[in-house]
Structures are given as structure tokens and as C-alpha cells.
Amino acid sequence: MKNFDINEDPHRRFNPLINEWVLVSPHRSKRPWQGQKETISGLQLPEYDPECYLCPGNVRANGEVNPAYDSCYVFENDFAALKQEPIAFEENNAPTFFKAKPEQGISRVVCFSPRHDLTLPQMEVENIENIVATWQKEYTTLGAIDYINHVQIFENKGSVMGCSNPHPHGQIWAQSSLPTQVEKTHNSLKQYYEQQGRTLLQDYVQEELKVQERIVIENEHFVALVPFWAIWPYETMIVSKRSVSKITDFTSAEVTDFAVILKQLTTKYDNLFETSFPYSSGIHQAPTDGEEHPAWHFHMHFYPPLLRSASVKKFMVGYEMMGESQRDITPEKSAQVLQSQSIVHYKAIIKN
């Protein structure tokens, strides 16, 4: 019987954040690819697009005109997934297969920049600091509303991730319930804190810093790493070194370091396949229910779909939908690949 080799043999890894397993199949990364390939857009975007409904001064779908904003711009989503109007509802606790309840909330769009052609890796650090300050303000403002118990800040970048407009922007969905993935994380973090008296991610980051196998970037206040339990090929997570539960707990130095690591990580992504790297990213932080949540530890997930090149992506189908999440390239290998990328954007190198 051969000895187990974590870099070559199929195995499962445990994700303590959501109490789930992921199947890792390193040998499959050698298989030839004859499946779907994404179309790579070589289009050079203009600084301003008169047809873009997110650019300054342009008319949106609902007829409203964007102001001539010069920094971040936030507005209520014209096609909101959540509605603010309260709905009369009497919950029926009788056993039934047809369980439903109304969900109240607010959906907002955050334009990161008036420039139509810029994404996070191409922005200056001070511009990203403005985005972080906007996230802080929205988390505070929305979280203070009595029926809002969770504020989800996220970004979908790239058409392959369902983004319908290339203008740099993200979204915020604030709602009365904890979403499923957040509730799983909440329960795991709370259980660990009650048992250990420390946050789960505080202890996890300390162990990652010791082994140095999956660290991509590190600065004084944050670490960007490929989680041991990562699902997506080049999935990463930014974690604060200090145990803070929410983005509004940051010091000014932490805001700057967070902006720096956001720029550097997204630059490495773009440099990997020399393309505007698509991903879904989102911040996980404490609920806004008015309670103290010492178990929560600020972190931000990046889930990019690209696997082998700018045109080949990972599909979550078949076994992943019927069994459990599965990946081919090991987290250690993807961390090495990302770590080796420059923090100078490839377009800046080409220009010079």
C-alpha cells in the first residue's frame, strides 16, 4: 500500500468556516481540455462611455440622471433584489413542506470610480481607500436600520461572473435575515470562540504564517492567502491579523493596508493570465443586529472561476452539484503561482 501524498493523491479537506468538506483531486490537473472556452475581450474601454448607465452624468434605466461624481457614488439599485416595504405576515409553525416568509431589505450599487476603464488593480491606493471608507459608511448606515441584521458587500467582476456592465462597481445587499452561507459561518465561528476563547481565523492565520505554504501577500495588518480548504482554482481570502469583527473597527493604518493588499492581490490576478481577471468577492463581518459578536473576525473572499488560462474556467457541475465541492490544482500550488506574480500591473509594464 502506497503512502499518502497530499500533492498527488485524491483527498478531502475540511472547511471549518462552514463545516463542510471539499474533494481535492490533484492528478486531474494533467487532463487535456476540450471543453468550453470563454471569449476573451480585447476591447479597450474608454474613460467615459455615453451609453453606460453608471458613468457620471448619464441616464439610468429608471430615468434618473447620475450626478457628475468624482469619487465613489452610491445609489439604490434600480432593479433591487430586496424591497424595503414591510409586508404583513403571520408565520405558521405547523409542519409543512411549503415553508416561506417575506424578506425585507435594501440593495445598493457602489460605483468605485467615475472612470469607466479602471478596475481595482489599476486604481491608486488612495482611490481604493475611498472605496473602503464608502463601505464603512454604508455598513454603519444600513446596519443602523432596525430591521437590517446583515450587510453583504460584494463585487462581481467580469461577464463570465454575470456582470452586465464593465464600469467598476460593486453592490451591497442589506437584509433582515442572515443569508445561508453567513449563517453557517456565524455558527462555526461562535462555536469555536465559545470553546477556545479566541477567534477561529485568529488561530488559523497564525498557523498559516508558521507554515508559509499558502500565503500570497502579507503586510503589517493583513494576510492574503489561499485557504487550505479552497474550492475555486485561485480562490483567496484576505484576513485581518488583528481580531476585528467589522470593517468599521479598522484604524487608519489598517484602512491603508487593506487598500494596498486589495490592489496587490487583484494585480496578481490580472497578471496571472494577462487579462482583466474575473471573480466574485465579498466581505464577511459581524451581523448588524445590535449584539456584540466577538467570535466574528473580518475576512474577504475572492472566488475566481478561471482554471488554466483566460479562456478556460472551472465548472461547478455534476459531482459538485450532486456530491460536494471538488478542485483539481492543490491550494498550495495555486498559492505558489499567485505569489510569483508581480504586484506591478502587466499593462503598466507594457506601457513603460
Side-chain angles (χ1 to χ4, degrees), residues 57-85:
N58 288 358
V59 180
R60 300 205 305 273
N62 64 354
E64 291 191 26
V65 179
N66 295 327
Y69 64 93
D70 58 5
S71 183
C72 286
Y73 170 53
V74 181
F75 64 91
E76 301 290 324
N77 197 314
D78 299 329
F79 303 97
L82 295 161
K83 295 183 178 180
Q84 300 185 44
E85 296 78 17

Side-chain angles (χ1 to χ4, degrees), residues 215-258:
I215 304 296
V216 178
I217 309 170
E218 177 188 357
N219 61 31
E220 184 179 354
H221 297 103
F222 292 89
V223 174
L225 53 82
V226 177
F228 177 78
W229 52 82
I231 294 173
W232 295 94
Y234 292 98
E235 175 181 334
T236 58
M237 182 168 65
I238 297 176
V239 190
S240 62
K241 288 184 176 179
R242 189 168 67 94
S243 182
V244 296
S245 63
K246 52 190 182 297
I247 196 168
T248 50
D249 291 338
F250 288 179
T251 64
S252 59
E254 285 171 331
V255 167
T256 299
D257 265 8
F258 183 47

Side-chain angles (χ1 to χ4, degrees), residues 169-227:
H169 72 284
Q171 298 185 56
I172 302 176
W173 292 10
Q175 62 189 99
S176 54
S177 301
L178 290 187
T180 301
Q181 294 302 317
V182 176
E183 187 173 33
K184 287 180 182 179
T185 304
H186 178 75
N187 292 336
S188 296
L189 295 179
K190 185 177 180 182
Q191 181 182 40
Y192 189 93
Y193 187 82
E194 289 174 348
Q195 292 174 348
Q196 305 296 331
R198 300 179 303 276
T199 71
L200 186 156
L201 287 176
Q202 180 181 8
D203 287 353
Y204 172 64
V205 166
Q206 287 178 358
E207 292 301 308
E208 286 284 19
L209 289 172
K210 286 179 185 176
V211 297
Q212 289 289 320
E213 287 184 328
R214 288 166 293 274
I215 304 296
V216 178
I217 309 170
E218 177 188 357
N219 61 31
E220 184 179 354
H221 297 103
F222 292 89
V223 174
L225 53 82
V226 177

Side-chain angles (χ1 to χ4, degrees), residues 22 231-233 235 313-321 324-327:
V22 54
I231 294 173
W232 295 94
E235 175 181 334
K313 73 172 185 177
K314 161 74 176 176
F315 289 89
M316 289 292 184
V317 295
Y319 180 85
E320 289 92 343
M321 299 178 90
E324 67 186 15
S325 299
Q326 181 270 342
R327 65 178 289 130

Side-chain angles (χ1 to χ4, degrees), residues 49 80 118 142 184 211 221 250 261 295 337:
D49 182 352
L118 294 184
L142 291 168
K184 287 180 182 179
V211 297
H221 297 103
F250 288 179
I261 209 165
V337 172

Side-chain angles (χ1 to χ4, degrees), residues 11-303:
H11 61 280
R12 298 170 82 207
R13 298 191 184 196
F14 182 65
N15 180 350
L17 281 178
I18 55 175
N19 198 31
E20 291 182 0
W21 291 84
V22 54
L23 176 66
V24 183
S25 311
H27 59 290
R28 278 171 53 87
S29 62
K30 301 171 184 176
R31 64 183 174 140
W33 182 262
Q34 293 181 317
Q36 177 175 314
K37 294 189 177 182
E38 305 300 318
T39 301
I40 306 170
S41 174
L43 183 66
Q44 182 67 37
L45 297 174
E47 290 188 17
Y48 166 76
D49 182 352
E51 302 299 320
C52 171
Y53 58 85
L54 296 181
C55 277
N58 288 358
V59 180
R60 300 205 305 273
N62 64 354
E64 291 191 26
V65 179
N66 295 327
Y69 64 93
D70 58 5
S71 183
C72 286
Y73 170 53
V74 181
F75 64 91
E76 301 290 324
N77 197 314
D78 299 329
F79 303 97
L82 295 161
K83 295 183 178 180
Q84 300 185 44
E85 296 78 17
I87 299 173
F89 174 73
E90 187 172 331
E91 189 167 5
N92 184 354
N93 292 318
T96 177
F97 288 110
F98 309 110
K99 200 169 187 178
K101 64 174 185 176
E103 185 70 7
Q104 190 178 4
I106 300 169
S107 299
R108 290 180 176 171
V109 175
V110 181
C111 294
F112 295 159
S113 168
R115 286 273 300 269
H116 184 75
D117 60 335
L118 294 184
T119 56
L120 286 178
Q122 296 166 289
M123 294 181 188
E124 300 297 328
V125 169
E126 53 264 36
N127 298 135
I128 302 176
E129 286 181 293
N130 287 335
I131 297 170
V132 176
T134 301
W135 287 341
Q136 290 176 317
K137 180 181 177 181
E138 292 298 315
Y139 176 84
T140 300
T141 303
L142 291 168
I145 299 172
D146 57 0
Y147 66 85
I148 296 297
N149 293 310
H150 177 72
V151 177
Q152 184 59 63
I153 299 167
F154 65 98
E155 178 192 4
N156 293 323
K157 181 190 174 193
S159 58
V160 71
M161 297 308 294
C163 184
S164 59
N165 190 317
H167 192 102
H169 72 284
Q171 298 185 56
I172 302 176
W173 292 10
Q175 62 189 99
S176 54
S177 301
L178 290 187
T180 301
Q181 294 302 317
V182 176
E183 187 173 33
K184 287 180 182 179
T185 304
H186 178 75
N187 292 336
S188 296
L189 295 179
K190 185 177 180 182
Q191 181 182 40
Y192 189 93
Y193 187 82
E194 289 174 348
Q195 292 174 348
Q196 305 296 331
R198 300 179 303 276
T199 71
L200 186 156
L201 287 176
Q202 180 181 8
D203 287 353
Y204 172 64
V205 166
Q206 287 178 358
E207 292 301 308
E208 286 284 19
L209 289 172
K210 286 179 185 176
V211 297
Q212 289 289 320
E213 287 184 328
R214 288 166 293 274
I215 304 296
V216 178
I217 309 170
E218 177 188 357
N219 61 31
E220 184 179 354
H221 297 103
F222 292 89
V223 174
L225 53 82
V226 177
F228 177 78
W229 52 82
I231 294 173
W232 295 94
Y234 292 98
E235 175 181 334
T236 58
M237 182 168 65
I238 297 176
V239 190
S240 62
K241 288 184 176 179
R242 189 168 67 94
S243 182
V244 296
S245 63
K246 52 190 182 297
I247 196 168
T248 50
D249 291 338
F250 288 179
T251 64
S252 59
E254 285 171 331
V255 167
T256 299
D257 265 8
F258 183 47
V260 168
I261 209 165
L262 276 173
K263 178 177 175 63
Q264 291 179 342
L265 179 61
T266 53
T267 296
K268 284 177 177 286
Y269 274 146
D270 278 13
N271 288 346
L272 180 58
F273 298 132
E274 293 194 352
T275 190
S276 185
F277 207 83
Y279 57 73
S280 278
S281 68
I283 291 172
H284 275 175
Q285 55 190 328
T288 56
D289 55 5
E291 302 293 326
E292 293 294 322
H293 293 283
W296 270 89
H297 190 125
F298 178 92
H299 57 288
M300 184 174 188
H301 294 283
F302 282 80
Y303 300 136

